[in-house]
Each structure stands twice: as C-alpha cells, then as structure tokens.
Amino acid sequence: MSSLGDHIDKLVERKVEDSGSGAGALIAAIRLLNRGVVRWALRVLTKEVEFNGERKPLMEWVLAKYVGESQCPTVTHFVAPFFEMGMKLATAWLHADEEPIKQLLSDPAIRRGIVTTLRGIALFGVTTPQKLPAPFFIVWNFTNACNLKCMHCYQNAGRPLPNELALEEKLRVVKELDEAGVPAIALSGGEPTVHRDFWPVLAEINRRGFYSAIATNGTTFANIEFAERAKKLGLRYVEISIDAADPNVHDKFRGVPGAWAKAVQGLRNAVRLGFSAALAFTVTKYNIHEVDKILDLAQEIGVKRVVFFNFIPVGRGRENLEIDLSPEEREEFLRHIYKEMRRRKMEIISTAPQYGRVVNQLSNGEDVSPTHFVVANDPITKELTEFIGGCGAGRVYAAIEPEGTVTPCVFLPYPVGNLRTKSFWDIWMDPFMENFRDRDRLEGFCGRCPYKLICGGCRARAYNYFGDVLAPDPGCIYNSAEWRKLQEDILRIKVKVSPLVFK
C-alpha cells in the first residue's frame, strides 16, 4: 500500500550520480519503450508462462531468476542470460550500482509492479496518465463486520453482509489477483481482523509474494500477541486510524468508549514490532483543530508516516455532510501540512489529489507529490509525475467489496462487476473504467486545469456529490462556486445518488 512508495523512494535514491542526466536518460528510455518494435518485444516478454501451477509473465520469471531464485520454468534459462547482460550494460551506462537493484528486485511485489508497468506499455503504449493492465494495489473491504460505530464510515459497517465471500472464494480471489499482476493487497473493512478468515487469507497473500497491508481501527493490534502473529505471517504495513489526540473526540467519532486507548496502543505495538506503520486521520470540521496535536502524537509514538484522508460523503458519511471541509478550509489545511512536513522532517501526506498541486505551488516546482505515496524533489520522480499523478481510482488501484463486487475506489460505490461472475481482467477493462484513465474527459474546471495530470480532482467526491465521476471536485479551491451551489441546496445532496450514466 503506502509503503510501495518507500520502495520507489529507495530506487530513486540509487539514481545516477548526475541527477540531471539520469532524468534525461529516464525520459529517453520511456520514449524508446513507446516504439513499435520495442513494444512488440515487451509483448513477448510479458506473455504468460505456467510453471508449477502458477501463471506469470515471462519477464516476472526472468526477474526472479536474475535475483537468484532457482524455481523457474525452462524457458527462463534461455532468456535470463540476455537480460543479465542488458542489466550490466544499462547500469554501466547510467553509472549505477547493480547490487542495490538486485536487492530491490528480490521483493516479488516490486518485480510484479515493474512487469505490470511494462505490460501496460506493451498493450497501450506510453500514455499520460499511464494505463495499466492491473492496479498497483487493491483495497479489499474484507468484511462489513466491525467492532466500532464510526460516524464517518464510508462502508456503513457493523454487521457482516449475508452474502460475503466464503473462504474458498477469497482464496480464489487472491490467486486471480496474483495472476493479474497486482503487486499489493490492503485489507480493510469493516474491521478485517475480527473476521475468522483473516488469518488464512493473510497467510495466502504473503505466500504468493504480495506486499501485504492492513487498514485497521487498531483495537486488535492493542493485543501484542495478535500483532506478533500478524508479523510472523508476513504482514508488512499497518495503518491505524486515530481521529484526534484527545481521547474523547476520537471516541465520539468511533462510537465506542475506550477506542482511542486501544488504537494508540495498537500503533505503539506496530512500531515496536518493526512494521512499516502509519497513523491515518480523516480531516473534518470537527477535528481539524487537532491536526498539529495528532502530528505531535505521531512523533511521540515513533510513527514516521501520517496519512491525512479526505472526507468523502459516502456510507454513514452521507448522514453527516456538515462535517466536510469547505474548499477554502481544505486549501489552508493542505498548505499547512506541507509546511509541517518540511519543518518536522517526517512523511506527511494526503489522499486529497489537490495536495499534488499545493506541493508544486508552495515549493515553486522543487517538490512533487504525484500520489499520496510520497513527496519528493528528485528529478526522476518529477519526470514521472505526469504518468502516475493524481487520483488513482480505477487507474492505479481499485476496491473489492465483501461480496466480491469490484469498484474503482472504496469511496466510490459504483459496481463495475463481481468476481463471482466475471474475471478481474474483464472488470478492469470495462469501458466505464476508461473514465478514470482519460483526463481529457473531465468536466468543468477540472477538465481544463493546468494541474489535471498531477491532480485531476477526487473522482469519488465528484460522484458522491454530483452522481458523475467526471464532474468537478467540489473540494478544490478552484471549484468554490460549485461548492457554494451545493451548500445552497444541501437537501438535494442528501438524497441518494441516482445511477450514473455512461459517458
């Protein structure tokens, strides 16, 4: 999940000694990949090969062989020497060290991410944003069951749904995502850790080499034995939601007394056990005054990453529209956390896509935040921003509901297809998903904004306020007029959104 960005950062840190020439070489390489003969070669290298009951692109097997894994199909032994020679030539040309690259590629999730990107170029060419044959990560709402009653819950969680996927179906979904080329799976909910299937599914996710993550309310991680068991099974990233530094404010949001104490203890346990850990905070009118205090709390606990989530009016959030920030409040908030990140020297990021614009503007183009994974100032990340930047819904990630329905985002409840009846590939390639991959389709100011490639607006906010994924994001300062219209007719936006018409 978010720590895939950490791996990207490590790769970027090993860029060529002359950063300027490195960025130029990268762009030259991207242009080279877009040529017909190279794309033909990529299609050959990304063709699926089955071995020991597993289907993976040939390139993924080659990368595994390159880093020393022995269990690979026979064809790999013929291709691998040429690839290794090419890597030596490339690293020599870029004045780079080959060993750190091998170390990075030893992570199967990173290998899968690279191959998925190459498959995207082979199939679609180089596009802005880059089209992919599979998302970089899936957020899986594992169950609707939850032990809390959060007022801003996007899932309206509480009791499990009567038609949730059975364990056998969940394991089949993991296998299908593996074969689709998805590098990372984040389990969410509801509260995924309270479901009996959590342990066997987590074990299977890690057995297949995914980057495994969890978004949790933290109550179960307050038990150190629970956290240790998750660590032993291979869980890598733990993101725990805390809505305020004040226990009373948090517990009011969460609807259960004592929730704050358990969440904080869960975060302490995650840090103590060496997980990649993050504190998640959904910003609303009720807790925006807690932002600096929550950053203080994160630093005191030892958390290196704080993720500020955009409030989206979905699920129980639709019943509490008054807690949403105005565009002016959001703009001031985003500017504030960027300055705090610079001051505190910690990772402070936001899921609001406008953060990419704010970072660019406040730093005069020195820093970029292409996604809510990272804020960086190296030339390579800058050059990649237009390919990967902005809202990632239906583009670099997707969501799976407890009963198998795939949606573009956990905050965007549009059912694209169900994994019980359709393959993940067919769902991912559904014509509706093209709305998220072609920024030229955007309407209003979002469609003509000079920052649309690094922002594009939150498509979930557009859908949940206007019933149209292509509508302007009313959370942006440039769409303040749209926000004022909504406020004038607040009763209308509380009515259930009508079905979306295909564009």
Side-chain angles (χ1 to χ4, degrees), residues 81-302:
F82 295 99
F83 176 80
E84 188 165 353
M85 184 185 302
M87 285 297 295
K88 291 185 182 300
L89 290 172
T91 51
W93 177 49
L94 295 172
H95 305 287
D97 185 353
E98 189 178 3
E99 283 308 309
I101 295 174
K102 278 190 173 183
Q103 184 179 353
L104 191 72
L105 292 175
S106 65
D107 185 338
I110 295 296
R111 297 198 298 266
R112 195 174 298 166
I114 291 171
V115 172
T116 294
T117 303
L118 293 176
R119 283 182 63 210
I121 294 172
L123 290 170
F124 312 115
V126 175
T127 63
T128 52
Q130 183 58 51
K131 295 181 182 179
L132 299 169
F136 284 140
F137 69 97
I138 287 287
V139 179
W140 188 351
N141 287 334
F142 198 68
T143 178
N144 205 60
C146 191
N147 53 353
L148 299 183
K149 304 172 184 177
C150 308
M151 66 184 297
H152 54 317
C153 179
Y154 63 80
Q155 194 70 10
N156 200 14
R159 294 181 179 181
L161 302 177
N163 60 340
E164 292 186 0
L165 297 175
L167 176 58
E168 183 180 350
E169 292 177 302
K170 290 172 183 168
L171 296 177
R172 180 184 57 77
V173 167
V174 174
K175 181 177 185 292
E176 188 168 352
L177 295 178
D178 182 6
E179 294 178 346
V182 176
I185 297 176
L187 299 180
S188 187
E191 175 52 45
T193 63
V194 301
H195 198 282
R196 63 181 179 276
D197 293 343
F198 171 70
W199 295 116
V201 173
L202 177 62
E204 180 66 3
I205 286 172
N206 287 294
R207 186 188 73 81
R208 288 185 173 272
F210 288 95
Y211 186 94
S212 58
I214 190 168
T216 172
N217 60 39
T219 54
T220 53
F221 278 81
N223 181 319
I224 190 65
E225 288 80 12
F226 184 99
E228 287 173 337
R229 184 180 178 187
K231 180 78 173 178
K232 190 174 295 184
L233 278 178
L235 183 65
R236 296 167 68 173
Y237 178 84
V238 176
E239 186 175 277
I240 293 178
S241 298
I242 298 178
D243 295 310
D246 182 336
N248 294 323
V249 175
H250 176 90
D251 289 357
K252 181 180 179 181
F253 264 92
R254 298 283 157 173
V256 174
W260 185 90
K262 289 185 176 180
V264 169
Q265 185 57 51
L267 201 48
R268 292 188 190 280
N269 287 344
V271 171
R272 172 185 166 189
L273 292 175
F275 286 103
S276 178
L279 186 158
F281 181 98
T282 300
V283 189
T284 68
K285 286 183 183 293
Y286 286 177
N287 64 359
I288 193 169
H289 63 282
E290 290 271 337
V291 167
D292 287 344
K293 295 175 184 176
I294 210 73
L295 292 173
D296 291 340
L297 176 64
Q299 287 187 304
E300 186 270 318
I301 292 173

Side-chain angles (χ1 to χ4, degrees), residues 232-475:
K232 190 174 295 184
L233 278 178
L235 183 65
R236 296 167 68 173
Y237 178 84
V238 176
E239 186 175 277
I240 293 178
S241 298
I242 298 178
D243 295 310
D246 182 336
N248 294 323
V249 175
H250 176 90
D251 289 357
K252 181 180 179 181
F253 264 92
R254 298 283 157 173
V256 174
W260 185 90
K262 289 185 176 180
V264 169
Q265 185 57 51
L267 201 48
R268 292 188 190 280
N269 287 344
V271 171
R272 172 185 166 189
L273 292 175
F275 286 103
S276 178
L279 186 158
F281 181 98
T282 300
V283 189
T284 68
K285 286 183 183 293
Y286 286 177
N287 64 359
I288 193 169
H289 63 282
E290 290 271 337
V291 167
D292 287 344
K293 295 175 184 176
I294 210 73
L295 292 173
D296 291 340
L297 176 64
Q299 287 187 304
E300 186 270 318
I301 292 173
V303 175
K304 296 179 180 178
R305 178 185 291 256
V306 177
V307 184
F308 287 101
F309 275 79
N310 227 3
F311 170 78
I312 311 291
V314 63
R316 274 199 293 273
R318 289 197 67 79
E319 303 167 13
N320 299 282
L321 291 168
E322 69 281 357
I323 72 176
D324 197 3
L325 301 182
S326 69
E328 292 76 15
E329 288 170 327
R330 182 172 285 99
E331 184 78 5
E332 182 180 354
F333 157 72
L334 293 174
R335 288 172 170 264
H336 178 72
I337 63 171
Y338 172 70
K339 293 173 183 176
E340 285 299 300
M341 184 200 71
R342 297 292 297 269
R343 185 177 74 83
R344 294 175 185 255
K345 307 298 182 186
M346 65 186 298
E347 294 179 76
I348 303 175
I349 49 186
S350 173
T351 64
Q354 291 84 13
Y355 193 50
R357 169 184 56 77
V358 168
V359 167
N360 183 281
Q361 290 175 329
L362 290 186
S363 68
N364 293 316
E366 289 299 311
D367 289 343
V368 292
S369 181
T371 70
H372 63 269
F373 292 155
V374 66
V375 175
N377 59 12
D378 63 273
I380 291 181
T381 303
K382 289 180 184 179
E383 297 292 351
L384 288 175
T385 298
E386 65 180 285
F387 298 103
I388 61 175
C391 178
R395 194 173 58 81
V396 298
Y397 77 93
I400 300 176
E401 292 298 301
E403 86 294 350
T405 296
V406 176
T407 68
C409 167
V410 293
F411 300 108
L412 206 164
Y414 184 92
V416 185
N418 191 286
L419 291 170
R420 279 175 165 150
T421 57
K422 295 179 71 175
S423 71
F424 183 79
W425 168 261
D426 287 340
I427 296 171
W428 183 250
M429 296 305 296
D430 189 281
F432 173 71
M433 299 295 258
E434 191 64 22
N435 287 314
F436 304 95
R437 300 162 191 171
D438 182 358
R439 296 272 166 84
D440 290 336
R441 295 188 181 193
L442 296 178
E443 298 170 353
F445 188 80
C446 284
R448 59 182 185 272
C449 179
Y451 296 98
K452 70 179 180 181
L453 288 180
I454 64 172
C455 174
C458 175
R459 297 300 96 211
R461 289 180 59 82
Y463 178 75
N464 286 291
Y465 273 115
F466 295 113
D468 185 351
V469 297
L470 299 175
D473 175 0

Side-chain angles (χ1 to χ4, degrees), residues 39-49 56-60 114-120 122-123:
R39 285 181 60 192
W40 174 84
L42 286 176
R43 282 193 287 270
V44 172
L45 288 171
T46 54
K47 188 174 181 180
E48 289 186 338
V49 175
K56 298 181 185 296
L58 173 59
M59 188 65 178
E60 195 168 336
I114 291 171
V115 172
T116 294
T117 303
L118 293 176
R119 283 182 63 210
L123 290 170

